[in-house]
Amino acid sequence: MIYTLFICFTAGMGAGLGTGFAGMSAAAVISPMLITFLGLPAYEAVGIALASDVLASAVSAYTYGKNKNLDIKNGVVMMAAVLLFTLVGSFAASLVPNTTMGGFSVFMTLLLGIKFIVKPVMTTKESMASVSAKKRIVQSLISGIIVGFICGFIGAGGGMMMLLLLTGILGYELKTAVGTSVFIMTFTALTGAASHFAIGGMPDPWCLLFCVASTLLWARIAARFANRASAITLNRATGVVLAVLGSAILAVNYLT
C-alpha cells in the first residue's frame, strides 16, 4: 500500500504541476507510471489518469478564471470542435492499420518545454485584444478541429497541442492560453473518464483516490503560483516543468 501511495503521489505531482503550469493532460504522466511501476492494464491506467485530470483541470481553470486569465467564449468554440473531431480522428485511426504514434506527445512535451525556456511567449493582453472577435472565433474553430483530430488519431497530446496553437497561432498571452486550455481539458477529460469507466468498469479505488488527490493538490499549487508570477518567470517555470516531465516520461517508457 505504501509503495502504491508513493507511485500515485509522484505521478500525481508530475501531472498536477504539468496541468497547473501548462494545461498538460494528466494522462501523459500518470498512465505510463501506473503501467510501468504498478502493472496496471493500460485501459485502467488511462481511465484513472483522465479522472485525475477532471478535478485538477477544473480547479486550475477556476484559479485562472478568478485572475481573469481565461477566454471562456472562444474556449467553448474550441472545445466543441475538439470533442467532435476527436471522434472523427478516432474513426480515421481505426481505418489505418498499425498506426502507433504514442511517443509523439512525449517528444512534444520535451520540445515545447525547451521552446518556452529559449524563446518565451511575451504576448500581452493588449495585443490579444487587437484581434477581431470574428477572426478569433474562426481561429478557435480551426484550432479545435486540428487538436481534436490529432487527439483522436494519435490518442494523446491534446493539452500540449492546445497550448502550442493558443500561443503560437492564436497569439494568446501565456496565462490566458493555459487557463483556456485547462478549461477545455476539464470537459474532454470528463467525457473520456466517463466512457472509460462505462466500458471497462471502475478501476482500483486506492489508485484512483491517491492519483486524484495528489494531482488536485499539485495542480492547485502550480496554478496559484503561475497566476502570481511575471511573464518571464512563468515561461521559465513552465519550460522547466515540461522539459523535466518530458525527459522523465521518456525514461519511464524505456523501462517498460
Side-chain angles (χ1 to χ4, degrees), residues 74-146:
N74 293 296
V76 169
V77 173
M78 183 181 269
M79 178 176 65
V82 167
L83 292 174
L84 176 61
F85 277 84
T86 296
L87 298 177
V88 175
S90 181
F91 176 73
S94 70
L95 303 178
V96 182
N98 301 321
T99 302
T100 54
M101 297 177 66
F104 171 80
S105 61
V106 179
F107 284 107
M108 189 172 177
T109 300
L110 178 58
L111 293 176
L112 200 55
I114 295 172
K115 184 262 180 191
F116 280 123
I117 296 173
V118 176
K119 189 179 180 182
V121 177
M122 300 304 292
T123 308
T124 62
K125 289 188 176 181
E126 289 72 21
S127 61
M128 278 181 61
S130 65
V131 179
S132 69
K134 183 178 179 180
K135 181 180 179 181
R136 185 70 76 198
I137 288 177
V138 172
Q139 289 177 327
S140 299
L141 183 62
I142 294 173
S143 297
I145 291 172
I146 295 171

